Amino acid sequence: MDKKIICDIREFNRFYTKVLGLFNNQILGTSYSLTEVRILFEISERTECIANHLVQELSIDKSYMSRIIRKLEREQLIEKKSSTTDSRKNFLLLTKKGKAILDNIHIQSDIQINQLFNGLNDEEINEIVSSMMKIKQKLSKTGGAPVQ
Amino acid sequence: MDKKIICDIREFNRFYTKVLGLFNNQILGTSYSLTEVRILFEISERTECIANHLVQELSIDKSYMSRIIRKLEREQLIEKKSSTTDSRKNFLLLTKKGKAILDNIHIQSDIQINQLFNGLNDEEINEIVSSMMKIKQKLSKTGGAPVQ
DNA sequence: GGTAATTGTGGACTGAGTCAACTAAGGGAG
DNA sequence: CTCCCTTAGTTGACTCAGTCCACAATTACC
């Protein structure tokens, strides 16, 4: 691969590190860590979600996961329902409160996204989003990055 | 902004968080933290670089910066040269060793980038890179993200 | 000269994430 | 059935990145 291309990619990575940093900082205002929010989100998206799936999917240490699950349970954002067919597994579910908090975080995040795109017209926004989709679609194929 | 668009952006953010996570993990193998490497890189790119610029540019706590600078100095990756016109300021410079180590990190990073793009043909790679440049160029204008 | 701003240090701390050892349950192979 | 290996999760002890705050030294401003 060409030096110029590698350089451009690295430049984009530095740039987007900062963009994502903004979002992470916003989450810092919520008394939940980025990892905790990712976990809440994954639980909200999955049916029959168990901790070990998240350990693999999000590359989180299982002991750390265990403690986060306990914290979220204590704060009543999630509930465990142990599997009837395999008592090692606990299905994780968002509570009403958990859903509300995740929704709220998303609303905050929406505001931030709007800020980031502020001043761009619809055509420009569409160009950016389709660029994003193209990057994701192409890079997902390579296996260099986890699938999603 | 449209719900679908916001959703797509968030999806891309999650995806690219993972991509960047791969690079960060690679750096973990070098006994330097991501922040330390960013500092080394910024020093290498600037002339008359002082710690306080980096504090602002990279959004790092100044006491933390002070300690990192000290560490990098102790390990002889950088040198301080105090300004003749303002004795509060110290210009930061990479040593030969510092340059060598940064180069090496970049070589490792090149390998990782190649892995990430493995299996894509030149046309696809160009599409991705120009998508990245488009995103950076458009989003840089909005001020939602720091300029570079 | 006095006051405010800039640049940098040091101490004390929080909290995210890691490592290793362990329990408990399930899944075969013989 | 039982021995053994794998999977799911827990606990304790720890590291280290990053933050907060008070402070020293120098410079800029009026």
Side-chain angles (χ1 to χ4, degrees):
Chain A
M1 252 165 97
D2 187 39
K3 270 245 184 289
K4 171 75 168 70
I5 288 182
I6 296 244
C7 186
D8 283 352
I9 293 167
R10 220 181 258 134
E11 190 184 324
F12 178 75
N13 284 351
R14 283 196 305 277
F15 173 75
Y16 219 74
T17 295
K18 281 183 197 168
V19 172
L20 291 174
L22 291 180
F23 288 99
N24 300 356
N25 266 327
Q26 172 249 309
I27 285 175
L28 278 185
T30 65
S31 86
Y32 297 99
S33 73
L34 179 60
T35 303
E36 285 163 347
V37 173
R38 286 164 83 200
I39 289 170
L40 287 177
F41 174 78
E42 289 291 334
I43 293 174
S44 81
E45 291 283 292
R46 291 161 184 265
T47 55
E48 307 213 324
C49 173
I50 71 167
N52 212 42
H53 292 164
L54 302 183
V55 162
Q56 285 156 24
E57 176 66 26
L58 302 176
S59 309
I60 296 172
D61 183 82
K62 60 186 176 171
S63 69
Y64 187 33
M65 177 66 74
S66 173
R67 274 179 265 263
I68 290 179
I69 295 292
R70 197 197 301 152
K71 176 191 168 189
L72 296 178
E73 214 183 352
R74 215 169 33 225
E75 299 188 7
Q76 297 173 6
L77 305 197
I78 66 175
E79 277 174 348
K80 279 184 187 170
K81 257 205 151 41
S82 98
S83 163
T84 52
T85 61
D86 183 346
S87 62
R88 291 169 307 177
K89 298 179 183 173
N90 292 306
F91 296 124
L92 303 174
L93 298 162
L94 286 194
T95 61
K96 243 184 181 154
K97 186 179 169 193
K99 279 180 197 146
I101 286 189
L102 185 59
D103 280 350
N104 193 49
I105 289 170
H106 278 165
I107 289 169
Q108 300 303 317
S109 164
D110 285 359
I111 292 171
Q112 194 119 27
I113 289 177
N114 270 292
Q115 246 162 32
L116 182 61
F117 283 75
N118 189 28
L120 301 175
N121 60 40
D122 284 0
E123 197 196 319
E124 288 176 306
I125 292 174
N126 282 328
E127 274 185 274
I128 293 174
V129 174
S130 60
S131 292
M132 288 176 169
M133 293 298 99
K134 174 161 282 170
I135 292 171
K136 181 177 179 237
Q137 179 235 321
K138 296 277 183 205
L139 289 186
S140 289
K141 293 196 309 186
T142 65
V147 187
Q148 118 85 294
Chain B
M1 253 167 92
D2 188 38
K3 269 243 183 292
K4 171 76 168 68
I5 287 182
I6 296 245
C7 186
D8 283 350
I9 293 167
R10 218 181 260 134
E11 191 183 323
F12 178 76
N13 284 350
R14 283 196 306 278
F15 173 75
Y16 218 75
T17 295
K18 281 183 198 170
V19 172
L20 292 174
L22 291 180
F23 289 99
N24 299 355
N25 266 325
Q26 172 247 310
I27 285 174
L28 277 184
T30 65
S31 85
Y32 297 99
S33 74
L34 178 59
T35 303
E36 286 161 348
V37 173
R38 287 164 81 199
I39 289 171
L40 287 177
F41 174 78
E42 290 290 334
I43 293 174
S44 80
E45 293 282 293
R46 292 159 183 267
T47 55
E48 308 215 324
C49 174
I50 71 167
N52 213 40
H53 293 164
L54 301 183
V55 162
Q56 284 156 24
E57 176 65 25
L58 302 176
S59 310
I60 295 172
D61 182 83
K62 60 186 177 173
S63 69
Y64 186 33
M65 177 66 75
S66 172
R67 275 179 265 264
I68 290 179
I69 296 292
R70 195 198 303 150
K71 177 190 167 189
L72 297 178
E73 213 182 355
R74 215 169 36 223
E75 300 188 8
Q76 299 174 3
L77 305 198
I78 66 175
E79 276 173 350
K80 279 184 188 171
K81 258 206 151 41
S82 97
S83 164
T84 51
T85 61
D86 184 346
S87 63
R88 292 169 306 179
K89 297 179 183 174
N90 293 305
F91 295 125
L92 304 174
L93 298 163
L94 286 194
T95 62
K96 240 183 184 160
K97 186 179 169 193
K99 277 179 197 146
I101 286 190
L102 185 58
D103 279 351
N104 193 48
I105 289 170
H106 278 164
I107 289 170
Q108 300 303 316
S109 164
D110 285 0
I111 293 172
Q112 195 120 26
I113 289 177
N114 269 293
Q115 245 163 33
L116 182 61
F117 284 74
N118 188 29
L120 300 175
N121 60 40
D122 285 0
E123 197 196 320
E124 287 176 307
I125 292 174
N126 282 327
E127 274 185 272
I128 292 173
V129 174
S130 60
S131 291
M132 287 175 169
M133 293 300 99
K134 173 160 282 168
I135 292 171
K136 180 177 180 237
Q137 177 234 321
K138 297 277 184 204
L139 290 187
S140 290
K141 294 196 308 184
T142 65
V147 186
Q148 120 84 290

